[in-house]
Structure formats: C-alpha cells, structure tokens
Amino acid sequence: MMPGEEPAIIDDDPFAYSYAKYEPVLSPQNVVNIGPEDGNGVFTSGMTDCVALCFRIKDKAGDIVRLSMIHLPGGINAAQLESDEGKQVIQQMLKHAPEGAQVEVVIAWNKQHYDEQRDYAWETRGGTLLDRPLFDALQSQIDDDEKNIRLTDMTTFSGARHNLDESAFS
C-alpha cells in the first residue's frame, strides 16, 4: 500500500486466514509464516499496547511468496528485536525466504490507543512507531549478503475498521 492510500476493507471468511495469536512473551514459536497455498493471509486482533510485525516476502520477480506475522506483546523497539529472542523471531520470520528475496516490513498498531496514550516514546517518534534505531535493528537482521535478501520497504499501518476484527490487523 502506498502512503495516503486507503486500505481495502476485508469482507472475507476469517477461517481463510491464519491467526497470529497474542502470547505474553516474545518467542519464535509465535511467528505465523505462510505461503500462498496456506490461505488468504494472516491476521491478529486484540491490540492495545501490542503491535503486529509483518513481513511481505517477495521473490526476485516481485511476487509475494511468503507472509510472516507476530503479535508483539507491549509494543516494539530496537532493544526488543536485538535481544536473543528478538533475533530468533526475525530468523523464524525469514525462515522460508528465497534467495534474492525482497522483504517489506509492515508494523501495525491500534492508532486510537496510541493517540490516547501519547506517552513520551510515542511523542519522540513524531506520532509514529518508526525510528532510526528500530529501522537499523530490522535492516541489520534482514539484509543477508549470502542469500541476497534485502529490506526494501518499511511502513506503518493503523488497524481497525478495515480488517476482520475491529482491533486487528490483517
């Protein structure tokens, strides 16, 4: 999706989607990693402080070949992704990435909740979940010279009203 574009309203059978459930701990076992044969997509729900970290993995031709998602408990930051558990999560999300893959990162959050909270970390990021340390943490773990895998895009998306669930991202 391009900046300023309205997301599509999903009017589909939720059972055609894989569910990235909430777990109170960061673990690679909580990653949902699917290919086209596994269903229409991935969704999560119940996000307040939590965010969804998603990878759209494209092949050399630019076709989406994998989707990975994890429901991150309590938000997202560089230190979390640089921890041993965070590194294992990123490795799991990239597990089936083909050689030459292009990885687009989408970070989804409950905009209403974050707008109401207006905490210091949110304000210092200018009202977005993106900051340079977070980008650097993701890029350093995604870019792989040996397999020629590259982080090609990183964007945020506020969920609700365009998803399978009102407090969700899909």
Side-chain angles (χ1 to χ4, degrees):
M1 178 167 30
M2 299 302 292
E5 238 182 288
E6 276 296 310
I9 295 174
I10 298 173
D11 184 19
D12 201 353
D13 176 8
F15 294 107
Y17 288 73
S18 297
Y19 182 63
K21 66 181 179 174
Y22 165 80
E23 292 290 344
V25 295
L26 181 64
S27 169
Q29 295 163 329
N30 301 335
V31 171
V32 175
N33 192 332
I34 68 167
E37 67 283 356
D38 298 319
N40 293 352
V42 184
F43 80 103
T44 191
S45 64
M47 297 190 310
T48 50
D49 286 332
C50 303
V51 301
L53 176 63
C54 316
F55 289 1
R56 284 187 300 236
I57 301 172
K58 297 181 175 185
D59 62 15
K60 291 178 186 177
D63 296 322
I64 296 173
V65 294
R66 303 293 304 173
L67 294 174
S68 293
M69 181 187 287
I70 185 168
H71 185 134
L72 292 175
I76 188 170
N77 60 58
Q80 173 192 45
L81 297 180
E82 291 170 335
S83 70
D84 290 340
E85 294 82 9
K87 289 177 180 178
Q88 292 171 12
V89 162
I90 301 299
Q91 288 173 1
Q92 183 66 25
M93 293 180 81
L94 294 170
K95 186 175 183 177
H96 302 287
E99 187 170 325
Q102 306 163 40
V103 180
E104 297 176 348
V105 174
V106 179
I107 301 170
W109 80 99
N110 180 332
K111 185 178 187 308
Q112 181 179 355
H113 172 74
Y114 276 93
D115 281 349
E116 289 171 359
Q117 295 301 310
R118 293 290 180 191
D119 62 6
Y120 174 74
W122 181 247
E123 288 292 332
T124 59
R125 291 178 176 181
T128 179
L129 292 175
L130 300 180
D131 63 15
R132 188 66 200 202
L134 179 59
F135 175 82
D136 290 344
L138 284 163
Q139 185 175 40
S140 69
Q141 293 182 59
I142 292 172
D143 285 0
D144 181 339
D145 290 336
E146 190 173 305
K147 289 181 71 179
N148 195 28
I149 295 174
R150 294 283 174 256
L151 170 61
T152 58
D153 189 32
M154 187 163 136
T155 189
T156 62
F157 176 80
S158 59
R161 291 189 306 279
H162 300 289
N163 296 286
L164 297 171
D165 180 287
E166 285 295 311
S167 64
F169 176 70
S170 44

Short mmCIF file of all heavy atoms in Angstrom, two decimals, residues 15-53:
data_model
loop_
_atom_site.label_atom_id
_atom_site.label_comp_id
_atom_site.label_asym_id
_atom_site.label_seq_id
_atom_site.Cartn_x
_atom_site.Cartn_y
_atom_site.Cartn_z
N PHE A 15 -11.88 -17.81 8.52
CA PHE A 15 -11.24 -19.12 8.54
C PHE A 15 -10.31 -19.33 7.35
O PHE A 15 -9.57 -20.30 7.30
CB PHE A 15 -12.30 -20.23 8.63
CG PHE A 15 -13.04 -20.20 9.94
CD1 PHE A 15 -14.35 -19.75 9.98
CD2 PHE A 15 -12.42 -20.57 11.11
CE1 PHE A 15 -15.03 -19.70 11.19
CE2 PHE A 15 -13.08 -20.52 12.33
CZ PHE A 15 -14.40 -20.08 12.36
N ALA A 16 -10.36 -18.42 6.37
CA ALA A 16 -9.43 -18.49 5.24
C ALA A 16 -8.09 -17.85 5.58
O ALA A 16 -7.19 -17.83 4.76
CB ALA A 16 -10.05 -17.81 4.02
N TYR A 17 -7.98 -17.33 6.80
CA TYR A 17 -6.77 -16.65 7.26
C TYR A 17 -6.14 -17.41 8.41
O TYR A 17 -6.84 -18.01 9.23
CB TYR A 17 -7.10 -15.23 7.73
CG TYR A 17 -7.45 -14.29 6.61
CD1 TYR A 17 -8.65 -14.38 5.95
CD2 TYR A 17 -6.55 -13.32 6.20
CE1 TYR A 17 -8.97 -13.53 4.90
CE2 TYR A 17 -6.85 -12.46 5.16
CZ TYR A 17 -8.07 -12.58 4.52
OH TYR A 17 -8.36 -11.74 3.49
N SER A 18 -4.83 -17.34 8.52
CA SER A 18 -4.13 -17.86 9.68
C SER A 18 -4.17 -16.79 10.77
O SER A 18 -4.18 -15.60 10.47
CB SER A 18 -2.68 -18.19 9.34
OG SER A 18 -2.63 -19.21 8.38
N TYR A 19 -4.17 -17.21 12.01
CA TYR A 19 -4.31 -16.27 13.13
C TYR A 19 -3.00 -16.18 13.91
O TYR A 19 -2.48 -17.20 14.38
CB TYR A 19 -5.45 -16.73 14.04
CG TYR A 19 -5.71 -15.80 15.20
CD1 TYR A 19 -6.13 -14.49 14.98
CD2 TYR A 19 -5.53 -16.22 16.50
CE1 TYR A 19 -6.38 -13.62 16.03
CE2 TYR A 19 -5.78 -15.36 17.56
CZ TYR A 19 -6.20 -14.08 17.32
OH TYR A 19 -6.43 -13.23 18.36
N ALA A 20 -2.47 -14.98 14.03
CA ALA A 20 -1.29 -14.74 14.86
C ALA A 20 -1.79 -14.33 16.24
O ALA A 20 -2.17 -13.19 16.47
CB ALA A 20 -0.43 -13.63 14.26
N LYS A 21 -1.83 -15.28 17.15
CA LYS A 21 -2.44 -15.03 18.46
C LYS A 21 -1.51 -14.28 19.40
O LYS A 21 -0.29 -14.29 19.24
CB LYS A 21 -2.90 -16.34 19.10
CG LYS A 21 -1.75 -17.27 19.46
CD LYS A 21 -2.28 -18.55 20.07
CE LYS A 21 -1.11 -19.47 20.41
NZ LYS A 21 -1.53 -20.64 21.12
N TYR A 22 -2.13 -13.64 20.36
CA TYR A 22 -1.38 -12.94 21.40
C TYR A 22 -0.76 -13.95 22.34
O TYR A 22 -1.40 -14.91 22.76
CB TYR A 22 -2.31 -12.02 22.20
CG TYR A 22 -1.69 -11.56 23.50
CD1 TYR A 22 -0.78 -10.50 23.50
CD2 TYR A 22 -1.97 -12.19 24.70
CE1 TYR A 22 -0.17 -10.09 24.68
CE2 TYR A 22 -1.37 -11.78 25.88
CZ TYR A 22 -0.47 -10.73 25.87
OH TYR A 22 0.13 -10.32 27.01
N GLU A 23 0.50 -13.76 22.64
CA GLU A 23 1.20 -14.50 23.70
C GLU A 23 1.95 -13.47 24.52
O GLU A 23 2.49 -12.51 23.96
CB GLU A 23 2.18 -15.52 23.11
CG GLU A 23 1.52 -16.68 22.37
CD GLU A 23 0.78 -17.65 23.30
OE1 GLU A 23 1.01 -17.63 24.52
OE2 GLU A 23 -0.03 -18.44 22.77
N PRO A 24 2.00 -13.62 25.83
CA PRO A 24 2.63 -12.60 26.68
C PRO A 24 4.15 -12.55 26.62
O PRO A 24 4.77 -11.69 27.24
CB PRO A 24 2.14 -12.96 28.08
CG PRO A 24 1.84 -14.42 28.01
CD PRO A 24 1.38 -14.69 26.60
N VAL A 25 4.77 -13.47 25.89
CA VAL A 25 6.23 -13.49 25.78
C VAL A 25 6.65 -13.44 24.32
O VAL A 25 5.93 -13.91 23.44
CB VAL A 25 6.84 -14.74 26.46
CG1 VAL A 25 6.60 -14.73 27.95
CG2 VAL A 25 6.29 -16.01 25.84
N LEU A 26 7.83 -12.87 24.08
CA LEU A 26 8.40 -12.83 22.74
C LEU A 26 9.07 -14.17 22.47
O LEU A 26 9.97 -14.57 23.19
CB LEU A 26 9.42 -11.69 22.66
CG LEU A 26 10.12 -11.46 21.34
CD1 LEU A 26 9.09 -11.04 20.28
CD2 LEU A 26 11.19 -10.38 21.48
N SER A 27 8.60 -14.88 21.45
CA SER A 27 9.14 -16.20 21.15
C SER A 27 9.00 -16.50 19.66
O SER A 27 7.97 -16.17 19.06
CB SER A 27 8.38 -17.27 21.95
OG SER A 27 8.71 -18.56 21.49
N PRO A 28 10.01 -17.14 19.05
CA PRO A 28 9.90 -17.51 17.64
C PRO A 28 8.75 -18.49 17.38
O PRO A 28 8.25 -18.59 16.27
CB PRO A 28 11.25 -18.13 17.30
CG PRO A 28 11.86 -18.50 18.61
CD PRO A 28 11.29 -17.55 19.63
N GLN A 29 8.30 -19.19 18.41
CA GLN A 29 7.20 -20.14 18.26
C GLN A 29 5.88 -19.43 17.98
O GLN A 29 4.92 -20.05 17.52
CB GLN A 29 7.08 -21.01 19.50
CG GLN A 29 8.30 -21.89 19.69
CD GLN A 29 8.38 -22.44 21.09
OE1 GLN A 29 7.94 -21.83 22.05
NE2 GLN A 29 8.97 -23.62 21.21
N ASN A 30 5.82 -18.11 18.22
CA ASN A 30 4.60 -17.35 18.00
C ASN A 30 4.50 -16.75 16.59
O ASN A 30 3.52 -16.10 16.28
CB ASN A 30 4.48 -16.23 19.04
CG ASN A 30 4.48 -16.78 20.45
OD1 ASN A 30 4.12 -17.92 20.68
ND2 ASN A 30 4.91 -15.96 21.40
N VAL A 31 5.50 -16.99 15.77
CA VAL A 31 5.51 -16.47 14.40
C VAL A 31 4.59 -17.33 13.53
O VAL A 31 4.64 -18.56 13.57
CB VAL A 31 6.93 -16.47 13.80
CG1 VAL A 31 6.91 -16.15 12.31
CG2 VAL A 31 7.81 -15.49 14.55
N VAL A 32 3.74 -16.67 12.75
CA VAL A 32 2.94 -17.36 11.74
C VAL A 32 3.59 -17.04 10.40
O VAL A 32 3.79 -15.89 10.05
CB VAL A 32 1.47 -16.87 11.76
CG1 VAL A 32 0.69 -17.50 10.62
CG2 VAL A 32 0.83 -17.18 13.10
N ASN A 33 3.95 -18.08 9.68
CA ASN A 33 4.70 -17.95 8.43
C ASN A 33 3.98 -18.79 7.39
O ASN A 33 3.94 -20.01 7.50
CB ASN A 33 6.13 -18.45 8.68
CG ASN A 33 7.07 -18.11 7.57
OD1 ASN A 33 6.68 -17.97 6.42
ND2 ASN A 33 8.34 -17.99 7.91
N ILE A 34 3.38 -18.14 6.38
CA ILE A 34 2.58 -18.88 5.41
C ILE A 34 3.00 -18.59 3.98
O ILE A 34 3.60 -17.56 3.69
CB ILE A 34 1.06 -18.60 5.56
CG1 ILE A 34 0.74 -17.16 5.15
CG2 ILE A 34 0.58 -18.91 6.96
CD1 ILE A 34 -0.74 -16.90 4.95
N GLY A 35 2.66 -19.50 3.10
CA GLY A 35 2.82 -19.32 1.66
C GLY A 35 1.45 -19.25 1.01
O GLY A 35 0.43 -19.42 1.68
N PRO A 36 1.39 -19.02 -0.30
CA PRO A 36 0.11 -18.88 -0.99
C PRO A 36 -0.80 -20.10 -0.84
O PRO A 36 -2.02 -19.98 -0.86
CB PRO A 36 0.50 -18.69 -2.45
CG PRO A 36 1.93 -18.29 -2.43
CD PRO A 36 2.53 -18.85 -1.19
N GLU A 37 -0.22 -21.26 -0.67
CA GLU A 37 -1.00 -22.48 -0.53
C GLU A 37 -1.66 -22.63 0.84
O GLU A 37 -2.52 -23.48 1.03
CB GLU A 37 -0.11 -23.71 -0.81
CG GLU A 37 0.97 -23.95 0.23
CD GLU A 37 2.21 -23.05 0.15
OE1 GLU A 37 2.33 -22.23 -0.78
OE2 GLU A 37 3.06 -23.17 1.04
N ASP A 38 -1.28 -21.76 1.78
CA ASP A 38 -1.74 -21.89 3.16
C ASP A 38 -2.97 -21.05 3.49
O ASP A 38 -3.42 -21.06 4.63
CB ASP A 38 -0.62 -21.51 4.13
CG ASP A 38 0.58 -22.43 3.99
OD1 ASP A 38 0.39 -23.64 3.84
OD2 ASP A 38 1.71 -21.91 4.03
N GLY A 39 -3.51 -20.30 2.55
CA GLY A 39 -4.70 -19.49 2.83
C GLY A 39 -4.59 -18.10 2.24
O GLY A 39 -3.66 -17.79 1.49
N ASN A 40 -5.54 -17.24 2.62
CA ASN A 40 -5.61 -15.89 2.05
C ASN A 40 -4.69 -14.89 2.72
O ASN A 40 -4.43 -13.83 2.17
CB ASN A 40 -7.04 -15.37 2.13
CG ASN A 40 -7.98 -16.15 1.24
OD1 ASN A 40 -7.56 -16.98 0.45
ND2 ASN A 40 -9.26 -15.88 1.36
N GLY A 41 -4.24 -15.17 3.93
CA GLY A 41 -3.40 -14.22 4.64
C GLY A 41 -3.31 -14.53 6.11
O GLY A 41 -3.66 -15.63 6.56
N VAL A 42 -2.85 -13.54 6.88
CA VAL A 42 -2.66 -13.68 8.31
C VAL A 42 -3.35 -12.49 8.98
O VAL A 42 -3.32 -11.39 8.45
CB VAL A 42 -1.16 -13.67 8.70
CG1 VAL A 42 -0.97 -13.91 10.18
CG2 VAL A 42 -0.38 -14.68 7.89
N PHE A 43 -3.94 -12.72 10.15
CA PHE A 43 -4.47 -11.59 10.90
C PHE A 43 -4.22 -11.79 12.39
O PHE A 43 -3.90 -12.87 12.85
CB PHE A 43 -5.96 -11.37 10.61
CG PHE A 43 -6.91 -12.29 11.33
CD1 PHE A 43 -7.64 -11.83 12.43
CD2 PHE A 43 -7.11 -13.59 10.90
CE1 PHE A 43 -8.53 -12.66 13.09
CE2 PHE A 43 -8.01 -14.42 11.55
CZ PHE A 43 -8.72 -13.96 12.64
N THR A 44 -4.34 -10.69 13.12
CA THR A 44 -4.26 -10.73 14.57
C THR A 44 -5.31 -9.78 15.11
O THR A 44 -5.90 -9.01 14.35
CB THR A 44 -2.84 -10.37 15.08
OG1 THR A 44 -2.76 -10.67 16.47
CG2 THR A 44 -2.50 -8.92 14.83
N SER A 45 -5.55 -9.84 16.40
CA SER A 45 -6.56 -8.96 16.99
C SER A 45 -6.23 -8.70 18.44
O SER A 45 -5.29 -9.25 18.99
CB SER A 45 -7.95 -9.61 16.87
OG SER A 45 -7.99 -10.81 17.61
N GLY A 46 -7.03 -7.82 19.06
CA GLY A 46 -6.87 -7.53 20.47
C GLY A 46 -5.68 -6.65 20.77
O GLY A 46 -5.10 -6.72 21.85
N MET A 47 -5.29 -5.80 19.83
CA MET A 47 -4.10 -4.97 20.03
C MET A 47 -4.45 -3.70 20.80
O MET A 47 -5.33 -2.94 20.41
CB MET A 47 -3.47 -4.60 18.68
CG MET A 47 -2.98 -5.80 17.92
SD MET A 47 -1.99 -5.42 16.45
CE MET A 47 -2.96 -4.24 15.58
N THR A 48 -3.74 -3.48 21.90
CA THR A 48 -3.80 -2.20 22.61
C THR A 48 -2.38 -1.66 22.57
O THR A 48 -2.03 -0.96 21.65
CB THR A 48 -4.34 -2.37 24.04
OG1 THR A 48 -3.63 -3.42 24.69
CG2 THR A 48 -5.83 -2.69 24.03
N ASP A 49 -1.55 -2.00 23.55
CA ASP A 49 -0.13 -1.62 23.51
C ASP A 49 0.63 -2.48 22.50
O ASP A 49 1.69 -2.10 22.03
CB ASP A 49 0.53 -1.80 24.87
CG ASP A 49 0.13 -0.74 25.87
OD1 ASP A 49 -0.21 0.38 25.43
OD2 ASP A 49 0.15 -1.02 27.08
N CYS A 50 0.10 -3.63 22.20
CA CYS A 50 0.77 -4.57 21.29
C CYS A 50 0.78 -4.03 19.86
O CYS A 50 -0.01 -3.16 19.51
CB CYS A 50 0.04 -5.91 21.29
SG CYS A 50 -0.09 -6.67 22.92
N VAL A 51 1.68 -4.55 19.07
CA VAL A 51 1.73 -4.25 17.65
C VAL A 51 1.89 -5.55 16.88
O VAL A 51 2.29 -6.57 17.44
CB VAL A 51 2.88 -3.28 17.27
CG1 VAL A 51 2.76 -1.97 18.02
CG2 VAL A 51 4.24 -3.91 17.49
N ALA A 52 1.58 -5.51 15.61
CA ALA A 52 1.82 -6.64 14.72
C ALA A 52 3.03 -6.31 13.86
O ALA A 52 3.10 -5.25 13.25
CB ALA A 52 0.60 -6.89 13.83
N LEU A 53 4.00 -7.20 13.86
CA LEU A 53 5.17 -7.08 12.98
C LEU A 53 4.95 -8.06 11.85
O LEU A 53 4.75 -9.26 12.07
CB LEU A 53 6.45 -7.41 13.74
CG LEU A 53 7.73 -7.42 12.91
CD1 LEU A 53 8.03 -6.03 12.33
CD2 LEU A 53 8.91 -7.92 13.74
#
